[in-house]
Amino acid sequence: MRLPSRGQLAAAGAVLAMTAGVAACSSNSNPPGSSSGGSSSGGGASSSSAKGTINAGGSTFQLNFQQAAIQEFEQSNPGIKVNYAGVGSGTGRSNFYKNSVLFAGSDSPIPSKEASEVPKGKKVLYFPVQMGPIAMAYNLKGVKGLKLDATTLADIFQGNIKKWNDPEIAKLNPGAKLPSTPITLAVRSDSSGTTANFSQYLVDAAKNWKLGTSGTISFPSTAHAGNGGSGVAQIVKNTPGAIGYVDFSTATASGLSAASIKSKDGSFLAPSTKGATAAGTKVTPKSDLTFSTVDEPGAASYPLTYQSWDLVYAKQPNANDAAILKTYLGYLLGSGQSLLSQINLAPLPSSIDAKAKAQLSQISG
């Protein structure tokens, strides 16, 4: 499948280059939020009287959505400035524990090994904001419509399959002219929710996967590591024979091809927002609104679908910080959801979105 470009992300370089500008306002050098007065009912899209700055960061999966949302949101809420740095889920959570950001974007719940880093007495609220596919992007001249399954992906990313004409790949792609080109793995160098969800898929769907699941994985030493989703996309784009896992929105903006993945129901599905939405309708979130959308059943459910949350402390330092947070999160969960399909991401199922909106009332100053 050749991923289509989108008008709203036609200049992919511009989207990715903005990361540097946002990072210049990163959470490590700015206070969590300003307290310049004002109040808000936590509405969302409508203009708020609250004023201040929200410094945030984390998930690069969220980066395209956050940048599009910030641009729209600040037009209606000129008193609120939002900075979001795409530094990866792991770094975002680390900054969150240090109270250097008002919220952290994370594609996975707080791992048990990090639980002790949450400040004592602090309650963390999970606000799901988006879903989307992980694309298995590849660079293989003359090969279109590549098909892969979980078992084959596990062998590829464990280094057991080293060339593209391996019998295991050929069996899934009868008639395809697969070259003997060596396979180059493109993986994340930073602690990443995309890595955590990709490896969780392999844990769930591939009995031969031996590397476990985490935000960082000990891939074969020959793998090429890139920072953020854009880093992985660039490795794939510039390396003949490369394959890497990268969020569909970034893969699309980078003009990459993506493999179709065998679903739990036996169909080969290309990454799409429709497939992500189908997977999302199958999940029932826990009471804290955490859930997983990988390897969901259903003929239309793309198996490598994942989700992302904005992590917020229920108790904020002051009423103003609570107000500006509720206003911005309310926008992301409200009219901001309409932006997602335009950038190859999937909105939340209405039932989950409604629960997330109701949870806004738990944020206080």
Side-chain angles (χ1 to χ4, degrees):
M1 171 192 174
R2 189 70 182 176
L3 301 178
S5 60
R6 297 283 182 178
Q8 299 224 351
L9 286 180
V15 171
L16 300 176
M18 286 177 67
T19 308
V22 176
C25 303
S26 74
S27 54
N28 290 323
S29 58
N30 292 281
S34 64
S35 301
S36 53
S39 61
S40 169
S41 62
S46 60
S47 180
S48 168
S49 60
K51 297 180 179 180
T53 298
I54 297 173
N55 288 315
S59 164
T60 61
F61 176 38
Q62 281 191 40
L63 185 60
N64 289 346
F65 179 40
Q66 290 288 349
Q67 290 180 342
I70 289 168
Q71 183 176 2
E72 294 288 329
F73 173 80
E74 290 183 348
Q75 291 179 5
S76 300
N77 296 272
I80 302 176
K81 172 70 175 176
V82 184
N83 300 315
Y84 184 89
V87 293
S89 295
T91 299
R93 291 193 305 270
S94 179
N95 290 335
F96 180 62
Y97 306 145
K98 297 172 185 174
N99 288 302
S100 58
V101 291
L102 275 184
F103 73 82
S106 180
D107 306 333
S108 56
I110 294 172
S112 57
K113 64 182 180 181
E114 294 180 14
S116 62
E117 298 183 48
V118 177
K120 189 170 293 186
K122 289 280 192 178
K123 178 183 179 181
V124 177
L125 300 175
Y126 289 89
F127 287 92
V129 292
Q130 68 177 58
M131 302 185 309
I134 297 174
M136 296 311 305
Y138 68 96
N139 182 342
L140 208 55
K141 187 176 181 180
V143 177
K144 298 181 179 180
L146 182 69
K147 296 178 180 179
L148 297 170
D149 61 14
T151 300
T152 306
L153 280 171
D155 277 340
I156 289 172
F157 279 85
Q158 289 175 144
N160 298 331
I161 293 178
K162 301 182 184 298
K163 292 187 177 182
W164 279 107
N165 63 349
D166 186 277
E168 194 171 340
I169 300 176
K171 183 172 62 176
L172 297 172
N173 295 273
K177 295 182 179 180
L178 297 169
S180 60
T181 307
I183 294 174
T184 298
L185 301 180
V187 303
R188 290 284 286 268
S189 61
D190 52 323
S191 179
S192 157
T194 310
T195 302
N197 283 277
F198 172 57
S199 58
Q200 184 61 58
Y201 164 71
L202 295 177
V203 167
D204 292 347
K207 294 180 180 179
N208 58 326
W209 179 247
K210 307 297 184 184
L211 302 184
T213 180
S214 178
T216 55
I217 295 290
S218 296
F219 290 107
S221 60
T222 54
H224 292 204
N227 186 59
S230 59
V232 173
Q234 283 303 111
I235 292 171
V236 174
K237 190 169 187 175
N238 297 331
T239 312
I243 183 171
Y245 55 92
V246 61
D247 69 270
F248 182 53
S249 180
T250 299
T252 301
S254 299
L256 298 175
S257 297
S260 293
I261 307 301
K262 191 173 184 179
S263 72
K264 200 166 191 173
D265 286 21
S267 302
F268 283 94
L269 301 174
S272 68
T273 56
K274 182 179 179 181
T277 297
T281 61
K282 301 295 183 180
V283 304
T284 300
K286 298 178 182 178
S287 59
D288 63 357
L289 299 188
T290 61
F291 55 93
S292 173
T293 47
V294 298
D295 202 31
E296 286 298 314
S301 297
Y302 180 69
L304 267 169
T305 293
Y306 70 140
Q307 61 295 308
S308 197
W309 295 269
D310 287 338
L311 277 53
V312 175
Y313 292 125
K315 184 68 174 178
Q316 293 297 311
N318 54 68
N320 189 71
D321 283 355
I324 60 177
L325 263 176
K326 290 165 75 173
T327 301
Y328 183 59
L329 291 173
Y331 169 76
L332 294 180
L333 297 167
S335 57
Q337 290 286 297
S338 65
L339 299 173
L340 289 163
S341 60
Q342 301 171 33
I343 50 177
N344 291 304
L345 296 166
L348 299 172
S350 57
S351 59
I352 296 177
D353 187 58
K355 291 177 180 178
K357 287 177 179 176
Q359 188 177 244
L360 288 168
S361 63
Q362 295 186 40
I363 301 175
S364 65

